[in-house]
Amino acid sequence: MPLMIQLVVDCHDPHGLADWWAETLDWTVEPQDEAFIRTMIEQGHAQEDETTRHRGRLVWRTGAAITSTEPGAPRILFQMVPESKAGKNRLHIDVRAAGDPQRVRARLVERGATVIGGGREGPHEWVTLTDPEGNEFCV
């Protein structure tokens, strides 16, 4: 049986970063079930401080995920961690631009990405950027 993967991104603000990446990729932030969260608290399986409000809804404080409508696409989970990013990512996301890559890059910079480099290999060229929390990705 083949294994499925989920990509996990460590961050300080999982809900804000999930929103940013969902818009970037034209994916959807997975909804969280407020009734289930409340039930877990009422039954003693979770504490109130494990939750927060995001966009007016009760959510788990430490995580948010995004998904694509494309079959087989991996889920991306944004997970809260206390430490800041300390160095270069050993794994990063490559975003393949549909259309003009320069326009895509400019739009990402307008939305909070930062260009940090780039490269070329044969006919392939890319620009390396960081998301609003400093995680590298290429376009």
Side-chain angles (χ1 to χ4, degrees), residues 19-58:
D19 288 344
W20 191 88
W21 275 102
E23 183 178 337
T24 295
L25 300 174
D26 196 22
W27 287 18
T28 303
V29 175
E30 286 184 358
Q32 295 190 26
D33 185 341
E34 286 189 66
F36 173 76
I37 294 170
R38 283 191 180 89
T39 299
M40 292 297 98
I41 294 168
E42 290 165 5
Q43 293 177 2
H45 299 296
Q47 301 298 315
E48 193 73 40
D49 66 356
E50 295 176 62
T51 68
T52 191
R53 289 213 162 275
H54 181 70
R55 297 186 178 226
R57 297 190 47 86
L58 184 68

Side-chain angles (χ1 to χ4, degrees), residues 1 3 21-22 33 39 42 58 65 72 76 81 83 108:
M1 177 168 98
L3 300 175
W21 275 102
D33 185 341
T39 299
E42 290 165 5
L58 184 68
I76 302 176
V81 295
E83 68 277 357
L108 291 168

Side-chain angles (χ1 to χ4, degrees), residues 62-80:
T62 61
I66 64 173
T67 55
S68 170
T69 58
E70 294 295 318
R75 175 182 194 250
I76 302 176
L77 174 66
F78 298 89
Q79 170 179 279
M80 182 185 288

